[in-house]
Amino acid sequence: MICRKYPDDKTVDEAVAKKEPLIIAISFDEKTALMSHLDDSVEHHILLQHFGIKATDIDKYWRIVVDGETAEWTFVCPRDYKNIKDRQKRITAFYNDGITAISKVISDLGYFADITIPRRYRRHFDAIGDDRTYSPYM
């Protein structure tokens, strides 16, 4: 996986060393992770724009904000994720793939944080049942 850092490697590496908050977007093909200090990008669509990627491509990335304690996942499953028509199967695949990709990226950076999905993004779990079935951190 290629990790691209904004505004540069040094700035992001210093933030990582201090376990300061990072904003990260991981491409669904798991080939690229875009990241910056949270203060340098603030929102995921701004992070994408820093790398010359259209803000409208936001639904091609898993989106997280991580610090030394938690990794908050902006859990928004696109309707066309992997072209899976069945909503329950699509959301389950998105969750499983995302957990794997996010865990790899944050652990490679040295952040050993719990992945959480804030309550406002859990509406997707209504389609697949009791959210406690899918994550111990909910």
Side-chain angles (χ1 to χ4, degrees):
M1 180 175 299
I2 298 168
C3 291
R4 297 178 61 195
K5 301 173 183 178
Y6 178 86
D8 53 55
D9 288 355
K10 182 178 185 263
T11 303
V12 174
D13 292 345
E14 287 173 357
V16 169
K18 295 176 186 175
K19 297 294 184 250
E20 293 181 348
L22 292 183
I23 187 167
I24 302 172
I26 304 165
S27 63
F28 289 164
D29 64 7
E30 298 181 46
K31 291 182 180 179
T32 307
L34 310 172
M35 61 191 70
S36 80
H37 190 283
L38 182 59
D39 293 341
D40 290 331
S41 293
V42 184
E43 298 287 342
H44 287 95
H45 67 278
I46 296 169
L47 175 66
L48 296 182
Q49 290 174 327
H50 286 312
F51 293 100
I53 299 168
K54 295 183 299 189
T56 55
D57 284 345
I58 194 85
D59 284 341
K60 297 178 183 177
Y61 294 83
W62 289 292
R63 305 180 302 255
I64 58 168
V65 174
V66 64
D67 61 24
E69 295 178 22
T70 64
E72 287 192 356
W73 183 2
T74 303
F75 191 95
V76 180
C77 181
R79 289 184 175 269
D80 63 348
Y81 185 72
K82 289 189 168 181
N83 295 315
I84 300 171
K85 301 293 182 209
D86 181 89
R87 185 171 187 229
Q88 182 174 357
K89 290 177 181 174
R90 181 177 62 245
I91 292 169
T92 300
F94 181 79
Y95 176 85
N96 290 334
D97 295 346
I99 285 289
T100 301
I102 293 166
S103 296
K104 174 152 182 31
V105 169
I106 65 174
S107 65
D108 285 353
L109 290 169
Y111 287 86
F112 298 98
D114 293 335
I115 298 171
T116 61
I117 300 171
R119 174 105 4 235
R120 67 188 173 277
Y121 295 111
R122 295 190 207 156
R123 67 188 181 281
H124 295 282
F125 291 104
D126 291 343
I128 54 178
D130 184 348
D131 60 12
R132 289 172 292 162
T133 304
Y134 299 93
S135 177
Y137 305 112
M138 294 191 176

